[in-house]
Amino acid sequence: MNRLKRLMQGRNGTDQFAIALLYFSVALAISGSLLEQGWLIFLSYIPLIMSVFRTFSKDIASRRRENQDYLTAIYHLKAMFKRKKKFVTGTETHRYYICPHCKQKLRVPKGKGRVTITCPHCGKEFKKKS
Ligand SMILES: [Zn+2]
């Protein structure tokens, strides 16, 4: 255990990005063998090597920055999917529509039956079920 501790001293160690790269590598390898595509298995070594490199890297500042960039990208991606999901399914209390005249996104309270919506952007009206 001490030898491992000494080996990892001054190194980046595993971070979220390294773990994600490992998962990506495994996913590539599994899909490569399921689809019998040798090149996918070969490709799976790239994120694996990157992950090992990150874990043992001594340039901690750069690795931290990359990990932060990765986390930021994931955050934005999740937020984007959340917005898309909200738009498609609505929330508990509201539904979302696009104004047919100006393409503005509109939020309408749910459960009011058929309503006439006045777009606050272009001022035109259209009917929708809420
Ligand atoms: Zn409009």
Side-chain angles (χ1 to χ4, degrees):
M1 213 50 214
N2 267 340
R3 274 182 61 191
L4 185 68
K5 241 181 211 165
R6 224 174 310 125
L7 176 72
M8 292 312 292
Q9 205 149 53
R11 297 180 195 268
N12 189 48
T14 47
D15 53 19
Q16 291 93 334
F17 191 27
I19 291 166
L21 284 167
L22 267 184
Y23 277 126
F24 184 52
S25 169
V26 170
L28 275 179
I30 289 173
S31 38
S33 56
L34 285 179
L35 302 168
E36 292 177 3
Q37 299 289 319
W39 63 275
L40 271 179
I41 297 170
F42 178 75
L43 215 67
S44 76
Y45 283 98
I46 297 170
L48 179 69
I49 291 164
M50 280 170 72
S51 179
V52 171
F53 167 77
R54 289 189 58 76
T55 303
F56 290 98
S57 171
K58 284 188 171 177
D59 186 0
I60 293 175
S62 296
R63 300 295 88 79
R64 286 240 168 99
R65 206 162 41 240
E66 289 160 9
N67 192 51
Q68 199 52 54
D69 288 347
Y70 161 75
L71 290 176
T72 307
I74 290 295
Y75 173 81
H76 285 300
L77 215 63
K78 276 184 182 167
M80 193 186 81
F81 276 112
K82 214 172 172 182
R83 275 198 304 274
K84 288 249 184 284
K85 188 180 168 226
K86 211 170 160 187
F87 189 77
V88 171
T89 62
T91 62
E92 298 266 311
T93 52
H94 291 84
R95 285 197 66 156
Y96 291 81
Y97 294 106
I98 289 180
C99 171
H101 307 288
C102 70
K103 310 296 175 210
Q104 175 78 29
K105 276 186 195 173
L106 303 170
R107 199 175 72 144
V108 178
K110 250 184 187 174
K112 305 273 184 224
R114 202 162 170 77
V115 291
T116 303
I117 302 163
T118 308
C119 173
H121 189 249
C122 67
K124 291 193 174 140
E125 291 184 343
F126 61 100
K127 285 190 165 81
K128 282 283 179 196
K129 200 176 161 288
S130 71

